[in-house]
Structure formats: C-alpha cells, structure tokens
Amino acid sequence: MEKLLNIRIEKLPEGVYLATSDDLQGLVAQGRTVAETLEIARDVARKLLEAQNQDEELEYLQPITEQFNYPLVVGY
C-alpha cells in the first residue's frame, strides 16, 4: 500500500539536511544531501507506519492515486 506523506526539508547551518513531517509524528531524518535525506526519511517513515498499522488503518494519510503533484527540484 502506498500513501502520500508531506515532508519538510531544511538545510541546517552545519551543511546537512533535516527532514521532518507534520503528517507523521516522529519522522526525523538527516543526511548529507537532499537525496540521501529523502532515502533515510522514506525508511524511517516506513518503519513508523508499520508500527502504527498493527491494528489501525492510516486513513489520515492520502492514498497514492493515478495523478498527484510532486515538487521537482532542479539545480542548474
């Protein structure tokens, strides 16, 4: 099952990136690049969702549909 989860990426003064989410309490991930941070955040989110989904359906997260918006960051 796939769900849509909004996360916030912030560049810290130390030069690393921090990911958090208002949609999923407890999601905190840090990496050296945005891509690494997103990969870690996906793993953390998966583990948090699996732990929460033992007996309850996670209806507060939107299901992935045939069409959705995705912000694409392009460096040039």
Side-chain angles (χ1 to χ4, degrees), residues 31-76:
R32 292 170 293 197
T33 65
V34 172
E36 179 183 59
T37 305
L38 288 170
E39 183 179 334
I40 295 167
R42 183 175 285 114
D43 290 340
V44 171
R46 185 178 295 119
K47 290 176 183 173
L48 288 170
L49 290 169
E50 286 172 357
Q52 287 182 8
N53 198 23
Q54 297 299 325
D55 294 319
E56 62 184 75
E57 183 62 31
L58 300 171
E59 295 184 19
Y60 61 92
L61 293 177
Q62 298 174 350
I64 297 290
T65 60
E66 295 294 321
Q67 178 180 347
F68 59 93
N69 294 325
Y70 182 83
L72 180 64
V73 179
V74 179
Y76 62 97

Side-chain angles (χ1 to χ4, degrees), residues 11-31:
K11 187 170 185 178
L12 299 179
E14 298 83 14
V16 297
Y17 294 89
L18 178 70
T20 58
S21 177
D22 291 336
D23 292 347
L24 184 57
Q25 184 177 3
L27 176 69
V28 178
Q30 182 177 312

